[in-house]
Amino acid sequence: MHPELIRVTNTIACVRRPSYVTCSYIVQTARGVVLVDAGMKSDGSDVFWGLDQLGLDHGSVTTILITHWHNDHAAGAAAIVEATGARVICTEAEAPYLRRETAATGLAGWIADAVPEVGPFVLVKGLLGNAPMRAAPPDACVGDGDVVEGFEVITTPGHTEGHAAYLYEPEGVLFAGDALAVIDGELRFMAKPVTPDLVAARASMQKLMRRAFTRVCAGHRAPALIDASHRQAFAARLDDDDWPELG
Ligand SMILES: [Zn+2]
């Protein structure tokens, strides 16, 4: 079954899987294609299908920006690197996961290997295995404020320790990964059970709300236009509200 392709702008498209409505993004830049996350299939087929739909050569992919190592975001990285020679970029804290140095051994590792790579099992498989299923060692580790191919790295710990968002100024787009949620066009907290560090995650969202952007492309559901008043309203919620159980 194919994922779904959502055209976000003339240069940005979203490849979306029904499982968890997970989104990875294909961005056409003057210097080639940049991916934000790498799809949910360890054979890279989500992204390759998206490139085909857009009429883009697989070889045009130069860079894979990883928001975080979870299998629903990073599964395809290894295969895409093999096929395209693209470089993988993530933060220092996320790197051991992408190198699979963290991979579960013993029973948990065995169970993770046995879990099928289909639908909602993809995330579970990665979480049990404590790493993506195939190693995609980063070619460079980035930190807060670094700029790669026009994408500014904004470190946003909370959902994972090394989570990064990427602000793409040419299009005014914030690629938020799982640092926050967008539901029905509204900015929302991520669900509490998937947020191990609530304090860090809240600070990360506050940091993001201080930035200027007009569109949010998050790790799940659908991209949304977000204006300044909407950002300010959500920033006020972040200052005052208790963390809602389900985001
Ligand atoms: Zn995640």
Side-chain angles (χ1 to χ4, degrees), residues 125-208:
K125 187 174 172 73
L127 291 176
L128 277 169
N130 202 40
M133 298 321 295
R134 297 187 58 198
D139 296 281
C141 288
V142 288
D144 198 46
D146 287 348
V147 178
V148 182
E149 302 290 353
F151 293 75
E152 181 186 338
V153 180
I154 305 178
T155 52
T156 41
H159 178 73
T160 64
E161 188 193 342
H163 190 286
Y166 297 93
L167 183 63
Y168 187 52
E169 296 222 1
E171 294 271 16
V173 173
L174 175 68
F175 292 94
D178 287 354
L180 50 74
V182 174
I183 302 177
D184 296 332
E186 302 277 331
L187 294 168
R188 298 274 288 269
F189 293 66
M190 288 288 287
K192 212 170 186 175
V194 298
T195 311
D197 188 336
L198 296 172
V199 173
R202 186 186 293 263
S204 291
M205 289 192 286
Q206 288 168 326
K207 182 178 177 183
L208 291 176

Side-chain angles (χ1 to χ4, degrees), residues 17-20 22 38-43 45-46 69-76 111-134 220:
R17 271 270 155 212
S19 316
Y20 318 111
T22 303
M40 286 180 74
K41 295 281 187 187
S42 61
D43 61 3
S45 55
D46 283 349
W69 68 268
H70 287 164
N71 220 23
D72 51 338
H73 296 268
I111 296 171
D113 285 345
V115 170
E117 193 190 75
V118 289
F121 292 119
V122 172
L123 177 58
V124 177
K125 187 174 172 73
L127 291 176
L128 277 169
N130 202 40
M133 298 321 295
R134 297 187 58 198
H220 298 272

